[in-house]
Amino acid sequence: MCGRTACTLAAEELSRASRYRDRRGQQRQPRWKDGDSDKYRPSYNKSPQSFSPVLLSNRHFNKARTWDAPVDECVLAAMRWGLVPAWFKENDPNKMQYSTSNCRSESLLEKKSYKDPLLKGQRCVILADGFYEWRRQEKEKQPFFMYFPQSQVGKMPSQHGTTDKNSQSLESDQDSEWTGWRLLTIAGLFDCWTPPGGGEALYTYTVITVDAAPNIQSIHDRMPAVLDGEEEVKRWLDFGEVKSLEAMKLLQSKSCLTFHPVSSLVNNSRNNSPECLQPVEPTIKKTPQPSASSKMMMSWLKTASPTKRKDPDVDTTAKGPEGKLESEKQTKPSGPLQQWLLGAGSSKKPRTYL
């Protein structure tokens, strides 16, 4: 299951953090689909119905000359979380009578809502800093934040650029290797819905889930289908060479994530602040012990130097048939990602777990 995510990078930084290699081995930086960078807003607490960044083949948007567009050319798009099938007949996408924010990998070929996009090759990769999951024990629920272990030593991402004199501008730095936060890459499916009465097309997606990996089973029995590494991302998006049944083999449980307990603030989707990600002491007993990869991440965090950040924009949700945006609560930031991981303002050092 995946009910909340966090994605705090600015639109320009997402493009840099999503660099990939094409079939000739050349490194490329995906551009944003026209106008979509304005739909996306960084958020510490994204919920279904909000717009999230996804990576997909640019061939999906070149229907007039479909076979001229290279299938390995990627593009970033802002899509609404919660798949609305192309065949949906209501004028309001919010009238969907069942949830499509997640879909089980085992039933992709059994339900029309997911089978049609899958067989059409409408595969995408959802990008996020990480996702939240809750562990239930008796009457309590302890939220955790889950993400890729961070092993690189370098600058951390900053939202909407930086005015620090020691930092280069995004324009002059866009060709350099990304050394910031390693984004989580999740397999998903998307569809394009147009109101029956006419209007703007709405692109939406669903997160594919699999059985939880052994190190996560104590928290929840399901997890998003994580694509670990550039090669897996490339194969999932390459619907020209990698057919649907072959691509589905990538949807496996993977013990490649680390996590730490966070505050119950995240339980309310209106709370959108760094405190949602701040490590806390777990309220439930029998927590896992820190692993080697967790210790490596903490060592990296200690050497990373903070950068100044501007206020994160408010998150958005869509209402109405044309995906009209509605602002969520805006809160003041308290610094880059490593500040909350290092427990700014707290004498206790945060712990991460596997």
Side-chain angles (χ1 to χ4, degrees), residues 19-53:
R19 291 171 71 96
Y20 65 96
R21 296 186 183 279
D22 59 21
R23 291 177 178 176
R24 294 178 295 178
Q26 295 182 343
Q27 195 172 71
R28 304 186 64 177
Q29 182 171 319
R31 63 175 178 81
W32 279 91
K33 177 177 172 291
D34 294 341
D36 274 22
S37 61
D38 295 330
K39 295 180 182 178
Y40 161 72
R41 294 292 185 273
S43 175
Y44 298 96
N45 192 2
K46 280 189 175 294
S47 59
Q49 309 305 314
S50 63
F51 280 82
S52 298

Side-chain angles (χ1 to χ4, degrees), residues 57-343:
S57 170
N58 194 31
R59 183 181 287 188
H60 293 294
F61 301 115
N62 287 271
K63 295 182 179 179
R65 51 185 182 86
T66 300
W67 300 111
D68 294 333
V71 74
D72 64 332
E73 180 183 340
C74 292
V75 64
L76 283 167
M79 295 189 184
R80 198 181 80 159
W81 188 358
L83 189 140
V84 179
W87 47 261
F88 186 62
K89 300 301 182 183
E90 296 283 351
N91 284 314
D92 185 352
N94 295 308
K95 291 184 178 180
M96 287 283 293
Q97 296 182 352
Y98 55 93
S99 173
T100 55
S101 57
N102 294 328
C103 61
R104 300 173 69 91
S105 62
E106 304 92 319
S107 59
L108 289 181
L109 294 173
E110 299 174 3
K111 298 183 179 181
K112 181 177 175 60
S113 298
Y114 311 129
K115 180 180 179 180
D116 288 356
L118 177 67
L119 297 183
K120 291 178 182 178
Q122 293 173 185
R123 308 194 296 255
C124 65
V125 174
I126 298 97
L127 304 175
D129 296 338
F131 68 95
Y132 299 98
E133 195 53 84
W134 285 259
R135 180 169 66 187
R136 294 179 180 273
Q137 184 169 316
E138 297 178 351
K139 296 182 179 181
E140 296 179 309
K141 287 199 309 181
Q142 172 64 58
F144 288 82
F145 186 59
M146 303 189 174
Y147 47 97
F148 277 140
Q150 306 295 309
S151 58
Q152 290 182 320
V153 177
K155 67 178 182 181
M156 298 294 290
S158 61
Q159 291 178 344
H160 301 284
T162 176
T163 56
D164 193 335
K165 294 181 180 180
N166 296 323
S167 301
Q168 296 180 341
S169 66
L170 287 173
E171 289 78 9
S172 62
D173 198 36
Q174 64 180 359
D175 293 329
S176 64
E177 183 179 357
W178 176 254
T179 56
W181 190 263
R182 182 191 175 192
L183 292 175
L184 191 61
T185 44
I186 302 171
L189 296 173
F190 76 92
D191 211 342
C192 179
W193 172 83
T194 303
E200 183 181 354
L202 176 65
Y203 284 88
T204 59
Y205 73 90
T206 185
V207 172
I208 300 175
T209 66
V210 296
D211 288 333
N215 65 315
I216 295 178
Q217 289 176 355
S218 63
I219 298 175
H220 202 279
D221 61 347
R222 304 288 295 182
M223 67 178 289
V226 174
L227 300 169
D228 189 9
E230 186 176 336
E231 184 60 29
E232 289 195 5
V233 169
K234 180 179 178 181
R235 288 183 59 77
W236 179 252
L237 295 182
D238 192 350
F239 67 95
E241 295 293 331
V242 184
K243 302 305 179 183
S244 300
L245 294 180
E246 185 67 21
M248 289 178 66
K249 295 179 182 179
L250 295 169
L251 307 177
Q252 303 290 334
S253 302
K254 299 183 178 73
S255 298
C256 57
L257 302 182
T258 188
F259 51 87
H260 63 257
V262 294
S263 167
S264 59
L265 282 172
V266 74
N267 295 352
N268 188 333
S269 61
R270 294 181 180 180
N271 293 329
N272 178 19
S273 68
E275 285 72 25
C276 292
L277 300 167
Q278 177 69 47
V280 299
E281 290 298 326
T283 59
I284 300 175
K285 299 179 179 180
K286 299 182 179 179
T287 56
Q289 295 300 313
S291 67
S293 61
S294 298
K295 294 177 180 179
M296 181 183 298
M297 184 194 71
M298 295 310 299
S299 175
W300 168 74
L301 289 169
K302 291 178 181 178
T303 60
S305 58
T307 59
K308 297 181 180 179
R309 308 179 74 161
K310 295 183 179 180
D311 288 12
D313 286 347
V314 294
D315 198 0
T316 57
T317 57
K319 299 293 182 181
E322 298 184 3
K324 185 177 180 181
L325 306 183
E326 179 180 287
S327 297
E328 291 181 355
K329 182 178 179 181
Q330 183 176 11
T331 55
K332 295 181 179 180
S334 64
L337 288 174
Q338 76 267 33
Q339 288 191 9
W340 52 257
L341 280 174
L342 289 171

